[in-house]
Amino acid sequence: MLINKKRQIKGLDILTTFLTYITLGLAFGSFYYILNLMAQNNLFIGVDKPSTFNLENFLNHLYISLGSLTTVGSGSISPLNAYIRLLCVLETILGIFLTSFSLGFIFSALGATLPPTSQEENTTDVQITTNIPTKKFPLFWGTIDFLKKIKSDLDDIENTSTN
């Protein structure tokens, strides 16, 4: 239902995505820390086993969590236990899903802002439209217009030098 509704992207949507990443990273990082605290053996290479709360140690667990969630990963800290490895893989899959969903949502909303041309309304054939408003995409379309102007200026210089 959310994907089928076309609407404009707002700052709140981007903030919600960012806060979702942070919340999931904190939740998994806390979970890793608690599991490592309760386990008999250390569950991670590169992190000391906590005996009481230690902020630096907690930040290391948060680091591995955010590395897994964003699919960047880390070579300095890695899980030893097979179940923790599986949990890290599940967190990575969740991060991929969240990224894909967010980008799909943003691009579907951006695609909804383009009004149909008169050619598209009268035919069912797929056509390439050149009637795209430049105000919606100032950086990209402005760059194309700039490159077209440079090409036009170079053509003018070439034409005047040959005459």
Side-chain angles (χ1 to χ4, degrees):
M1 188 71 150
L2 177 65
I3 295 173
N4 291 334
K5 288 185 177 181
K6 308 262 186 202
R7 65 179 182 84
Q8 195 171 19
I9 296 292
K10 298 182 177 152
L12 185 62
D13 298 324
I14 296 170
L15 181 65
T16 302
T17 302
F18 178 74
L19 290 177
T20 302
Y21 268 104
I22 296 299
T23 303
L24 284 172
L26 281 170
F28 275 96
S30 300
F31 190 59
Y32 294 151
Y33 187 83
I34 291 169
L35 286 177
N36 206 11
L37 183 67
M38 293 172 43
Q40 291 180 0
N41 298 325
N42 195 3
L43 299 176
F44 294 93
I45 296 173
V47 176
D48 296 331
K49 180 174 173 12
S51 55
T52 60
F53 182 76
N54 180 353
L55 181 61
E56 184 178 347
N57 204 346
F58 175 74
L59 292 176
N60 285 330
H61 287 83
L62 185 62
Y63 173 74
I64 187 66
S65 172
L66 289 173
S68 295
L69 188 63
T70 59
T71 70
V72 173
S74 168
S76 58
I77 302 173
S78 58
L80 286 170
N81 187 304
Y83 296 110
I84 301 296
R85 287 181 183 159
L86 180 63
L87 192 60
C88 286
V89 168
L90 291 175
E91 184 180 11
T92 303
I93 291 170
L94 182 64
I96 291 170
F97 173 76
L98 183 60
T99 301
S100 300
F101 181 78
S102 300
L103 289 175
F105 175 69
I106 288 170
F107 286 125
S108 71
L110 286 176
T113 61
L114 298 176
T117 62
S118 59
Q119 293 173 344
E120 290 174 341
E121 292 171 352
N122 296 332
T123 181
T124 58
D125 295 339
V126 177
Q127 297 178 358
I128 298 174
T129 178
T130 57
N131 190 18
I132 298 175
T134 59
K135 292 180 182 178
K136 298 287 183 185
F137 307 99
L139 179 64
F140 180 69
W141 295 113
T143 304
I144 290 176
D145 290 340
F146 177 72
L147 292 175
K148 285 180 181 177
K149 178 157 178 23
I150 288 175
K151 183 180 181 314
S152 172
D153 291 346
L154 289 175
D155 289 343
D156 290 344
I157 291 170
E158 190 175 291
N159 289 337
T160 56
S161 65
T162 57
N163 291 337

